[in-house]
Amino acid sequence: MNCRFLDYKMVNEVLIEKIRKFVEEECKKPDANYSNAYKFHFISMHKIAKELAEKFSADVEVVEIAAWLHDIGAIVDGRENHHITGALIAEEKLRKLNYSEKNIEKVKECILNHRGSKEGENKRLSIESKIIAEADVLDAFDNIAKQFLVTLVYEKKSLEDAKISVLNKLKNKWNQLEFEGSKELIRSKFEAVILLFGD
Ligand SMILES: [Fe+2]
């Protein structure tokens, strides 16, 4: 087994690689939704999540697996309930790979609670689930253009509607940031969004 140690916690790199590959393959399928997401979101979001997990001494393995899988429901089944469908897909896949039931539950908690737009349903109790939500938001600000890609290409909105939609989505994401230092990290980008698209 190919493993690395982080703060005395073993990380199963072989399993993480299998999950990464699974997500990449799902994105390549002809009927995949948001097929560009692997390139424009999953890779960068996983990197941010892993860094946060190491910084906060969280369970890096759970965070890495949840980062790869957090939007799998949107790819396979569409955006609407992707936190729920994603958790079910993750559960099935991880069980097939003989992952421990305890960690499957941790991964599912991350996926079920990662959406800011599903406020009221969110119960981010673990540091791992907070990290997944935070990394998702930080990644959105890393490449504002991809917010337009989603809104114009996948959601098929007009340019005028897309501006309002992207502005509202990014305002909502900004308000979700919980960790100390996160807002400072992206403040200039958020202010630029308000300047460019605000009224
Ligand atoms: Fe995401």
Side-chain angles (χ1 to χ4, degrees), residues 41 45 70-71 114 136:
H41 179 48
M45 186 278 186
H70 80 284
D71 277 343
H114 82 275
D136 209 17

Side-chain angles (χ1 to χ4, degrees), residues 92-154:
E92 193 188 338
K93 182 70 188 168
L94 290 167
R95 219 168 253 161
K96 269 190 199 156
L97 292 168
N98 292 320
Y99 200 42
S100 76
E101 287 298 320
K102 194 175 114 216
N103 280 6
I104 290 176
E105 284 310 308
K106 287 189 193 174
V107 170
K108 281 175 68 186
E109 189 205 323
C110 293
I111 299 171
L112 279 168
N113 296 299
H114 82 275
R115 296 181 72 184
S117 55
K118 296 283 167 189
E119 213 132 14
E121 293 179 24
N122 290 335
K123 296 180 200 77
R124 289 177 201 143
L125 300 176
S126 69
I127 182 68
E128 289 77 19
S129 61
K130 289 178 201 288
I131 285 170
I132 292 298
E134 196 88 351
D136 209 17
V137 171
L138 290 173
D139 184 61
F141 281 91
D142 258 4
N143 184 353
I144 308 280
K146 69 190 167 196
Q147 299 300 318
F148 278 95
L149 175 78
V150 169
T151 314
L152 289 166
V153 177
Y154 297 122

Side-chain angles (χ1 to χ4, degrees), residues 39-182:
K39 193 169 151 197
F40 292 118
H41 179 48
F42 286 83
I43 294 173
S44 48
M45 186 278 186
H46 165 266
K47 185 170 180 280
I48 296 169
K50 187 179 167 191
E51 284 167 7
L52 288 174
E54 288 166 359
K55 182 177 169 186
F56 290 102
S57 302
D59 189 324
V60 179
E61 184 177 288
V62 165
V63 167
E64 283 196 70
I65 291 170
W68 286 123
L69 288 168
H70 80 284
D71 277 343
I72 191 68
I75 302 298
V76 174
D77 208 53
R79 191 159 177 79
E80 179 60 18
N81 288 312
H82 77 269
H83 54 307
I84 298 166
T85 54
L88 293 172
I89 294 165
E91 180 176 39
E92 193 188 338
K93 182 70 188 168
L94 290 167
R95 219 168 253 161
K96 269 190 199 156
L97 292 168
N98 292 320
Y99 200 42
S100 76
E101 287 298 320
K102 194 175 114 216
N103 280 6
I104 290 176
E105 284 310 308
K106 287 189 193 174
V107 170
K108 281 175 68 186
E109 189 205 323
C110 293
I111 299 171
L112 279 168
N113 296 299
H114 82 275
R115 296 181 72 184
S117 55
K118 296 283 167 189
E119 213 132 14
E121 293 179 24
N122 290 335
K123 296 180 200 77
R124 289 177 201 143
L125 300 176
S126 69
I127 182 68
E128 289 77 19
S129 61
K130 289 178 201 288
I131 285 170
I132 292 298
E134 196 88 351
D136 209 17
V137 171
L138 290 173
D139 184 61
F141 281 91
D142 258 4
N143 184 353
I144 308 280
K146 69 190 167 196
Q147 299 300 318
F148 278 95
L149 175 78
V150 169
T151 314
L152 289 166
V153 177
Y154 297 122
E155 294 173 6
K156 301 191 186 337
K157 287 195 166 40
S158 70
L159 189 56
E160 274 315 301
D161 287 347
K163 278 190 208 170
I164 298 163
S165 171
V166 169
L167 176 68
N168 288 338
K169 276 185 196 168
L170 290 172
K171 274 186 186 169
N172 186 28
K173 286 178 190 294
W174 169 263
N175 288 330
Q176 276 184 69
L177 288 170
E178 278 195 55
F179 293 173
E180 210 187 309
S182 285

